[in-house]
Amino acid sequence: MVLCGLFEIYSIKMKKILFFIVLFFVAKNIAAQDNAFFTWDAFQLVAKVNAKWHWISDISYRTIGISSSANQYTFRTAVKRVVNEKWSTTAGVALFRSRTSIDKHNHEFGDEYRLWQEVLLENKLNKSLVISNRFRTEERFFAATATKNSYNALRLRYRLAFIQDITKKVKFQIADEYMRQLSKGDFLFQQNRVAATGIFTTGKKTQLTAGYMWSKLPTTSQHYILLVLQKTISFKKENNGQK
C-alpha cells in the first residue's frame, strides 16, 4: 500500500514535469517564427459578491516573442450572473491598446473600446470530464491610427472546450474557438483559435493557467504562449458554524 501511494505521488509529479517540458519545447520551436509568436501574461481577479453575482476583472501584457516588447495591453471588467450549476451569463467592457504592426520598431498603438456579452453552458460528461459551450458577442469600436480610419465591428465567438480533471489540483483543457466579424457591411471569417492548457490550483483561492494556443487568421497563422494568474476573493463571510 505504501509503495502504491509513493508511485501515485511520483506519477502525479512526473505528469506536471512532462507538461512543462512539452510546453518549453513547443515555445522553443515556434520562437524561430518571430513574426508569428506572442506571449500573453495576465492577472485576473474574481470577486464573489455572493453565490449568484461575481465581478470579474483582468489585465494583460502581451509581448512579441519571448521579450519585453509589448504588442498589446488589455483591461476588461464584467459582471457575471450564475443562473444555476450549468448556466451563467456575463456582460462587460474592455479597453485594448494594440501595436499597429508586429514590427518591434513601430511605436504606434491604436485603441479599441469594447462591449461584450456571453452565455456559458457547462455539463459534466462524467465525474472528471466537463464539456463547456460559450457564445460571446463583442461590439468593437476602433479609434483612428496613422494607417487606418476609425471603424466599428461586431464579432461573434463560439468556443467548445473539454476540461479533464487530472488530480484534485490539476486540470487539462483543450478548446476550439471560431469567430466571425461584421464590419463595413461584410460578415467574414475573423479567426479560429485552438488551445491546450494546464490549470493548476496553487492555493485555496489562487489558480495558475499555462498553455499554448494556435490561431488561424484569414491570411496567416499565429502562435501564443499563455500564462494567467487568477485570484478569487469573497465579500460574503464563510459560515463557520457560528450564528
Side-chain angles (χ1 to χ4, degrees), residues 129-173:
L129 180 62
V130 172
I131 181 172
S132 171
N133 291 274
R134 187 183 77 183
F135 179 71
R136 178 181 290 184
T137 60
E138 297 173 332
E139 296 80 41
R140 312 176 72 188
F141 307 92
F142 295 88
T145 66
T147 57
K148 290 183 178 180
N149 296 324
S150 61
Y151 68 98
N152 304 328
L154 172 67
R155 185 164 68 176
L156 305 182
R157 305 169 56 162
Y158 169 69
R159 188 190 71 173
L160 174 66
F162 293 90
I163 307 163
Q164 175 68 54
D165 289 345
I166 306 300
T167 70
K168 290 183 178 180
K169 294 187 176 182
V170 180
K171 298 180 181 181
F172 176 74
Q173 176 179 274

Short mmCIF file of all heavy atoms in Angstrom, two decimals, residues 129-173:
data_model
loop_
_atom_site.label_atom_id
_atom_site.label_comp_id
_atom_site.label_asym_id
_atom_site.label_seq_id
_atom_site.Cartn_x
_atom_site.Cartn_y
_atom_site.Cartn_z
N LEU A 129 -14.85 14.81 -16.20
CA LEU A 129 -14.79 15.48 -17.50
C LEU A 129 -15.98 16.40 -17.69
O LEU A 129 -17.12 16.01 -17.50
CB LEU A 129 -14.76 14.44 -18.62
CG LEU A 129 -14.70 14.98 -20.06
CD1 LEU A 129 -13.41 15.79 -20.28
CD2 LEU A 129 -14.79 13.83 -21.07
N VAL A 130 -15.68 17.67 -18.06
CA VAL A 130 -16.71 18.69 -18.28
C VAL A 130 -16.63 19.17 -19.72
O VAL A 130 -15.53 19.39 -20.25
CB VAL A 130 -16.52 19.88 -17.31
CG1 VAL A 130 -17.46 21.03 -17.67
CG2 VAL A 130 -16.73 19.44 -15.87
N ILE A 131 -17.77 19.36 -20.35
CA ILE A 131 -17.84 19.98 -21.67
C ILE A 131 -18.41 21.38 -21.50
O ILE A 131 -19.40 21.58 -20.79
CB ILE A 131 -18.68 19.15 -22.66
CG1 ILE A 131 -18.70 19.84 -24.04
CG2 ILE A 131 -20.10 18.93 -22.15
CD1 ILE A 131 -19.34 18.99 -25.13
N SER A 132 -17.76 22.36 -22.12
CA SER A 132 -18.12 23.77 -21.96
C SER A 132 -18.47 24.36 -23.32
O SER A 132 -17.70 24.23 -24.29
CB SER A 132 -16.96 24.54 -21.33
OG SER A 132 -17.20 25.93 -21.35
N ASN A 133 -19.64 25.01 -23.40
CA ASN A 133 -20.06 25.73 -24.60
C ASN A 133 -20.22 27.21 -24.25
O ASN A 133 -20.99 27.55 -23.35
CB ASN A 133 -21.39 25.20 -25.11
CG ASN A 133 -21.28 23.80 -25.68
OD1 ASN A 133 -20.96 23.61 -26.85
ND2 ASN A 133 -21.53 22.80 -24.84
N ARG A 134 -19.48 28.07 -24.96
CA ARG A 134 -19.55 29.51 -24.68
C ARG A 134 -19.85 30.28 -25.96
O ARG A 134 -19.16 30.10 -26.97
CB ARG A 134 -18.23 30.00 -24.08
CG ARG A 134 -18.29 31.45 -23.61
CD ARG A 134 -16.94 31.91 -23.10
NE ARG A 134 -16.02 32.20 -24.20
CZ ARG A 134 -14.74 32.57 -24.03
NH1 ARG A 134 -14.24 32.65 -22.82
NH2 ARG A 134 -13.97 32.82 -25.09
N PHE A 135 -20.86 31.13 -25.91
CA PHE A 135 -21.17 32.02 -27.03
C PHE A 135 -21.00 33.46 -26.56
O PHE A 135 -21.57 33.86 -25.55
CB PHE A 135 -22.61 31.80 -27.53
CG PHE A 135 -22.98 32.72 -28.66
CD1 PHE A 135 -22.44 32.55 -29.92
CD2 PHE A 135 -23.86 33.77 -28.45
CE1 PHE A 135 -22.78 33.41 -30.96
CE2 PHE A 135 -24.21 34.63 -29.48
CZ PHE A 135 -23.67 34.45 -30.74
N ARG A 136 -20.21 34.23 -27.31
CA ARG A 136 -19.91 35.61 -26.91
C ARG A 136 -20.12 36.55 -28.08
O ARG A 136 -19.78 36.24 -29.22
CB ARG A 136 -18.46 35.71 -26.42
CG ARG A 136 -18.03 37.12 -26.02
CD ARG A 136 -16.58 37.17 -25.57
NE ARG A 136 -16.38 36.49 -24.29
CZ ARG A 136 -15.22 36.47 -23.64
NH1 ARG A 136 -14.15 37.06 -24.17
NH2 ARG A 136 -15.12 35.84 -22.49
N THR A 137 -20.68 37.73 -27.78
CA THR A 137 -20.79 38.80 -28.76
C THR A 137 -19.94 39.98 -28.30
O THR A 137 -19.86 40.26 -27.10
CB THR A 137 -22.24 39.26 -28.96
OG1 THR A 137 -22.76 39.74 -27.71
CG2 THR A 137 -23.11 38.12 -29.44
N GLU A 138 -19.33 40.68 -29.27
CA GLU A 138 -18.48 41.83 -28.95
C GLU A 138 -18.79 42.97 -29.89
O GLU A 138 -18.76 42.80 -31.12
CB GLU A 138 -17.00 41.45 -29.08
CG GLU A 138 -16.55 40.37 -28.10
CD GLU A 138 -15.13 39.91 -28.36
OE1 GLU A 138 -14.68 39.98 -29.54
OE2 GLU A 138 -14.47 39.45 -27.42
N GLU A 139 -19.09 44.12 -29.31
CA GLU A 139 -19.25 45.35 -30.09
C GLU A 139 -17.93 46.10 -29.98
O GLU A 139 -17.56 46.57 -28.89
CB GLU A 139 -20.41 46.19 -29.56
CG GLU A 139 -21.78 45.51 -29.68
CD GLU A 139 -22.04 44.50 -28.57
OE1 GLU A 139 -21.69 44.79 -27.41
OE2 GLU A 139 -22.57 43.41 -28.87
N ARG A 140 -17.22 46.24 -31.10
CA ARG A 140 -15.85 46.75 -31.10
C ARG A 140 -15.80 48.14 -31.75
O ARG A 140 -16.35 48.34 -32.84
CB ARG A 140 -14.92 45.78 -31.83
CG ARG A 140 -15.10 44.34 -31.40
CD ARG A 140 -14.24 43.39 -32.21
NE ARG A 140 -12.83 43.50 -31.86
CZ ARG A 140 -11.86 42.89 -32.53
NH1 ARG A 140 -12.13 42.17 -33.61
NH2 ARG A 140 -10.60 43.04 -32.15
N PHE A 141 -15.11 49.07 -31.11
CA PHE A 141 -15.00 50.45 -31.59
C PHE A 141 -13.52 50.81 -31.66
O PHE A 141 -12.86 50.96 -30.64
CB PHE A 141 -15.75 51.40 -30.66
CG PHE A 141 -17.18 51.00 -30.40
CD1 PHE A 141 -17.51 50.20 -29.32
CD2 PHE A 141 -18.19 51.41 -31.26
CE1 PHE A 141 -18.82 49.81 -29.08
CE2 PHE A 141 -19.51 51.03 -31.04
CZ PHE A 141 -19.83 50.23 -29.95
N PHE A 142 -13.01 50.94 -32.88
CA PHE A 142 -11.59 51.19 -33.12
C PHE A 142 -11.34 52.66 -33.39
O PHE A 142 -12.00 53.26 -34.24
CB PHE A 142 -11.09 50.36 -34.31
CG PHE A 142 -11.14 48.88 -34.09
CD1 PHE A 142 -12.28 48.15 -34.39
CD2 PHE A 142 -10.03 48.20 -33.58
CE1 PHE A 142 -12.33 46.78 -34.19
CE2 PHE A 142 -10.06 46.83 -33.38
CZ PHE A 142 -11.21 46.12 -33.68
N ALA A 143 -10.38 53.23 -32.67
CA ALA A 143 -10.00 54.62 -32.90
C ALA A 143 -9.09 54.71 -34.12
O ALA A 143 -8.45 53.72 -34.51
CB ALA A 143 -9.29 55.17 -31.66
N ALA A 144 -9.01 55.89 -34.71
CA ALA A 144 -8.17 56.09 -35.89
C ALA A 144 -6.69 56.01 -35.51
O ALA A 144 -6.29 56.37 -34.40
CB ALA A 144 -8.48 57.44 -36.51
N THR A 145 -5.88 55.53 -36.46
CA THR A 145 -4.42 55.49 -36.30
C THR A 145 -3.80 56.15 -37.53
O THR A 145 -4.50 56.64 -38.41
CB THR A 145 -3.91 54.05 -36.16
OG1 THR A 145 -4.14 53.35 -37.41
CG2 THR A 145 -4.62 53.32 -35.03
N ALA A 146 -2.48 56.12 -37.60
CA ALA A 146 -1.79 56.74 -38.74
C ALA A 146 -2.06 56.01 -40.05
O ALA A 146 -1.94 56.57 -41.12
CB ALA A 146 -0.29 56.77 -38.46
N THR A 147 -2.46 54.73 -39.95
CA THR A 147 -2.65 53.93 -41.16
C THR A 147 -4.12 53.55 -41.41
O THR A 147 -4.44 53.08 -42.50
CB THR A 147 -1.83 52.63 -41.08
OG1 THR A 147 -2.21 51.91 -39.89
CG2 THR A 147 -0.34 52.93 -41.02
N LYS A 148 -5.01 53.75 -40.41
CA LYS A 148 -6.40 53.35 -40.57
C LYS A 148 -7.34 54.40 -40.01
O LYS A 148 -7.02 55.05 -39.01
CB LYS A 148 -6.68 52.01 -39.88
CG LYS A 148 -6.03 50.80 -40.54
CD LYS A 148 -6.44 49.52 -39.81
CE LYS A 148 -5.84 48.30 -40.48
NZ LYS A 148 -6.24 47.04 -39.78
N ASN A 149 -8.49 54.54 -40.65
CA ASN A 149 -9.55 55.39 -40.12
C ASN A 149 -10.28 54.66 -39.00
O ASN A 149 -10.18 53.43 -38.88
CB ASN A 149 -10.53 55.77 -41.22
CG ASN A 149 -9.90 56.62 -42.31
OD1 ASN A 149 -9.03 57.45 -42.01
ND2 ASN A 149 -10.31 56.42 -43.54
N SER A 150 -11.01 55.38 -38.18
CA SER A 150 -11.80 54.75 -37.14
C SER A 150 -12.91 53.91 -37.78
O SER A 150 -13.42 54.24 -38.86
CB SER A 150 -12.41 55.80 -36.22
OG SER A 150 -13.28 56.66 -36.94
N TYR A 151 -13.28 52.83 -37.12
CA TYR A 151 -14.36 51.98 -37.63
C TYR A 151 -14.92 51.15 -36.49
O TYR A 151 -14.32 51.03 -35.41
CB TYR A 151 -13.89 51.09 -38.79
CG TYR A 151 -12.91 50.00 -38.39
CD1 TYR A 151 -13.34 48.70 -38.17
CD2 TYR A 151 -11.55 50.27 -38.26
CE1 TYR A 151 -12.45 47.69 -37.82
CE2 TYR A 151 -10.65 49.28 -37.92
CZ TYR A 151 -11.11 47.98 -37.70
OH TYR A 151 -10.23 47.00 -37.34
N ASN A 152 -16.10 50.56 -36.74
CA ASN A 152 -16.76 49.71 -35.76
C ASN A 152 -16.95 48.31 -36.32
O ASN A 152 -16.95 48.11 -37.55
CB ASN A 152 -18.13 50.28 -35.37
CG ASN A 152 -18.03 51.70 -34.84
OD1 ASN A 152 -17.03 52.08 -34.23
ND2 ASN A 152 -19.05 52.49 -35.10
N ALA A 153 -17.10 47.33 -35.42
CA ALA A 153 -17.30 45.95 -35.87
C ALA A 153 -18.09 45.19 -34.82
O ALA A 153 -18.08 45.52 -33.64
CB ALA A 153 -15.95 45.27 -36.12
N LEU A 154 -18.77 44.16 -35.28
CA LEU A 154 -19.49 43.23 -34.40
C LEU A 154 -18.88 41.85 -34.60
O LEU A 154 -18.87 41.33 -35.73
CB LEU A 154 -20.98 43.20 -34.75
CG LEU A 154 -21.81 42.12 -34.03
CD1 LEU A 154 -21.88 42.41 -32.53
CD2 LEU A 154 -23.22 42.03 -34.62
N ARG A 155 -18.36 41.28 -33.53
CA ARG A 155 -17.74 39.96 -33.63
C ARG A 155 -18.53 38.92 -32.84
O ARG A 155 -18.91 39.17 -31.69
CB ARG A 155 -16.29 39.99 -33.14
CG ARG A 155 -15.56 38.66 -33.35
CD ARG A 155 -14.05 38.80 -33.24
NE ARG A 155 -13.62 39.13 -31.89
CZ ARG A 155 -12.33 39.23 -31.54
NH1 ARG A 155 -11.38 39.07 -32.45
NH2 ARG A 155 -12.00 39.52 -30.30
N LEU A 156 -18.75 37.77 -33.45
CA LEU A 156 -19.44 36.66 -32.81
C LEU A 156 -18.44 35.53 -32.59
O LEU A 156 -17.68 35.18 -33.49
CB LEU A 156 -20.60 36.16 -33.68
CG LEU A 156 -21.64 37.20 -34.09
CD1 LEU A 156 -22.74 36.55 -34.92
CD2 LEU A 156 -22.23 37.91 -32.88
N ARG A 157 -18.45 34.97 -31.36
CA ARG A 157 -17.47 33.94 -31.00
C ARG A 157 -18.19 32.74 -30.38
O ARG A 157 -19.05 32.89 -29.52
CB ARG A 157 -16.46 34.50 -29.98
CG ARG A 157 -15.77 35.74 -30.46
CD ARG A 157 -14.98 36.45 -29.37
NE ARG A 157 -13.97 35.58 -28.72
CZ ARG A 157 -12.95 36.07 -28.01
NH1 ARG A 157 -12.80 37.37 -27.85
NH2 ARG A 157 -12.09 35.24 -27.45
N TYR A 158 -17.78 31.54 -30.82
CA TYR A 158 -18.28 30.31 -30.19
C TYR A 158 -17.09 29.43 -29.81
O TYR A 158 -16.23 29.15 -30.64
CB TYR A 158 -19.20 29.53 -31.13
CG TYR A 158 -19.51 28.15 -30.59
CD1 TYR A 158 -20.31 27.98 -29.45
CD2 TYR A 158 -18.96 27.01 -31.17
CE1 TYR A 158 -20.56 26.73 -28.93
CE2 TYR A 158 -19.21 25.76 -30.66
CZ TYR A 158 -20.01 25.62 -29.54
OH TYR A 158 -20.24 24.37 -29.01
N ARG A 159 -17.06 29.02 -28.54
CA ARG A 159 -15.96 28.18 -28.06
C ARG A 159 -16.49 26.88 -27.48
O ARG A 159 -17.41 26.87 -26.66
CB ARG A 159 -15.16 28.90 -26.97
CG ARG A 159 -13.88 28.16 -26.57
CD ARG A 159 -13.23 28.76 -25.35
NE ARG A 159 -14.02 28.48 -24.15
CZ ARG A 159 -13.62 28.78 -22.91
NH1 ARG A 159 -12.46 29.38 -22.73
NH2 ARG A 159 -14.39 28.50 -21.87
N LEU A 160 -15.88 25.78 -27.92
CA LEU A 160 -16.16 24.45 -27.38
C LEU A 160 -14.92 23.98 -26.65
O LEU A 160 -13.82 23.99 -27.21
CB LEU A 160 -16.51 23.48 -28.51
CG LEU A 160 -16.69 22.02 -28.10
CD1 LEU A 160 -17.91 21.85 -27.19
CD2 LEU A 160 -16.81 21.13 -29.34
N ALA A 161 -15.08 23.57 -25.40
CA ALA A 161 -13.92 23.16 -24.60
C ALA A 161 -14.24 21.90 -23.80
O ALA A 161 -15.38 21.67 -23.40
CB ALA A 161 -13.49 24.28 -23.66
N PHE A 162 -13.20 21.10 -23.57
CA PHE A 162 -13.29 19.93 -22.72
C PHE A 162 -12.28 20.11 -21.58
O PHE A 162 -11.11 20.43 -21.83
CB PHE A 162 -12.98 18.65 -23.49
CG PHE A 162 -14.01 18.31 -24.53
CD1 PHE A 162 -13.89 18.79 -25.83
CD2 PHE A 162 -15.12 17.53 -24.20
CE1 PHE A 162 -14.84 18.49 -26.78
CE2 PHE A 162 -16.08 17.23 -25.16
CZ PHE A 162 -15.94 17.71 -26.45
N ILE A 163 -12.74 19.91 -20.35
CA ILE A 163 -11.90 20.11 -19.17
C ILE A 163 -11.84 18.79 -18.40
O ILE A 163 -12.87 18.30 -17.92
CB ILE A 163 -12.46 21.22 -18.27
CG1 ILE A 163 -12.68 22.49 -19.10
CG2 ILE A 163 -11.51 21.50 -17.11
CD1 ILE A 163 -13.59 23.51 -18.45
N GLN A 164 -10.63 18.25 -18.31
CA GLN A 164 -10.43 16.95 -17.67
C GLN A 164 -9.67 17.11 -16.36
O GLN A 164 -8.60 17.72 -16.32
CB GLN A 164 -9.64 16.02 -18.60
CG GLN A 164 -9.25 14.68 -18.01
CD GLN A 164 -10.44 13.78 -17.77
OE1 GLN A 164 -11.22 13.52 -18.68
NE2 GLN A 164 -10.59 13.29 -16.54
N ASP A 165 -10.22 16.57 -15.28
CA ASP A 165 -9.51 16.55 -14.01
C ASP A 165 -8.39 15.51 -14.07
O ASP A 165 -8.64 14.34 -14.40
CB ASP A 165 -10.46 16.19 -12.86
CG ASP A 165 -11.44 17.30 -12.53
OD1 ASP A 165 -11.22 18.43 -12.98
OD2 ASP A 165 -12.44 17.02 -11.85
N ILE A 166 -7.17 15.94 -13.76
CA ILE A 166 -6.04 15.02 -13.68
C ILE A 166 -5.85 14.59 -12.22
O ILE A 166 -5.72 13.40 -11.92
CB ILE A 166 -4.76 15.67 -14.22
CG1 ILE A 166 -5.00 16.21 -15.64
CG2 ILE A 166 -3.60 14.67 -14.21
CD1 ILE A 166 -5.41 15.17 -16.66
N THR A 167 -5.82 15.57 -11.34
CA THR A 167 -5.81 15.34 -9.90
C THR A 167 -6.78 16.35 -9.29
O THR A 167 -7.45 17.10 -10.00
CB THR A 167 -4.40 15.54 -9.31
OG1 THR A 167 -4.06 16.94 -9.36
CG2 THR A 167 -3.35 14.74 -10.07
N LYS A 168 -6.82 16.42 -7.97
CA LYS A 168 -7.68 17.39 -7.31
C LYS A 168 -7.22 18.82 -7.57
O LYS A 168 -8.02 19.76 -7.48
CB LYS A 168 -7.71 17.12 -5.81
CG LYS A 168 -8.46 15.85 -5.42
CD LYS A 168 -8.52 15.69 -3.92
CE LYS A 168 -9.30 14.44 -3.53
NZ LYS A 168 -9.37 14.27 -2.04
N LYS A 169 -5.94 19.01 -7.89
CA LYS A 169 -5.39 20.34 -8.08
C LYS A 169 -4.91 20.62 -9.50
O LYS A 169 -4.40 21.70 -9.77
CB LYS A 169 -4.25 20.57 -7.09
CG LYS A 169 -4.69 20.61 -5.64
CD LYS A 169 -3.54 21.01 -4.73
CE LYS A 169 -4.00 21.12 -3.28
NZ LYS A 169 -2.89 21.56 -2.38
N VAL A 170 -5.05 19.67 -10.39
CA VAL A 170 -4.58 19.83 -11.76
C VAL A 170 -5.67 19.44 -12.75
O VAL A 170 -6.29 18.38 -12.62
CB VAL A 170 -3.31 18.99 -12.03
CG1 VAL A 170 -2.84 19.17 -13.47
CG2 VAL A 170 -2.21 19.34 -11.06
N LYS A 171 -5.91 20.32 -13.73
CA LYS A 171 -6.85 20.04 -14.80
C LYS A 171 -6.18 20.28 -16.15
O LYS A 171 -5.23 21.07 -16.25
CB LYS A 171 -8.09 20.94 -14.69
CG LYS A 171 -8.90 20.74 -13.42
CD LYS A 171 -10.10 21.67 -13.40
CE LYS A 171 -10.90 21.50 -12.11
NZ LYS A 171 -12.09 22.39 -12.07
N PHE A 172 -6.69 19.62 -17.17
CA PHE A 172 -6.21 19.84 -18.54
C PHE A 172 -7.39 20.25 -19.39
O PHE A 172 -8.46 19.64 -19.34
CB PHE A 172 -5.57 18.57 -19.10
CG PHE A 172 -5.15 18.72 -20.54
CD1 PHE A 172 -4.02 19.46 -20.88
CD2 PHE A 172 -5.88 18.13 -21.55
CE1 PHE A 172 -3.63 19.60 -22.20
CE2 PHE A 172 -5.50 18.26 -22.87
CZ PHE A 172 -4.38 19.01 -23.19
N GLN A 173 -7.20 21.33 -20.16
CA GLN A 173 -8.28 21.84 -21.01
C GLN A 173 -7.83 21.93 -22.46
O GLN A 173 -6.73 22.42 -22.75
CB GLN A 173 -8.74 23.22 -20.54
CG GLN A 173 -9.79 23.86 -21.44
CD GLN A 173 -10.25 25.22 -20.96
OE1 GLN A 173 -11.14 25.32 -20.14
NE2 GLN A 173 -9.63 26.27 -21.45
#
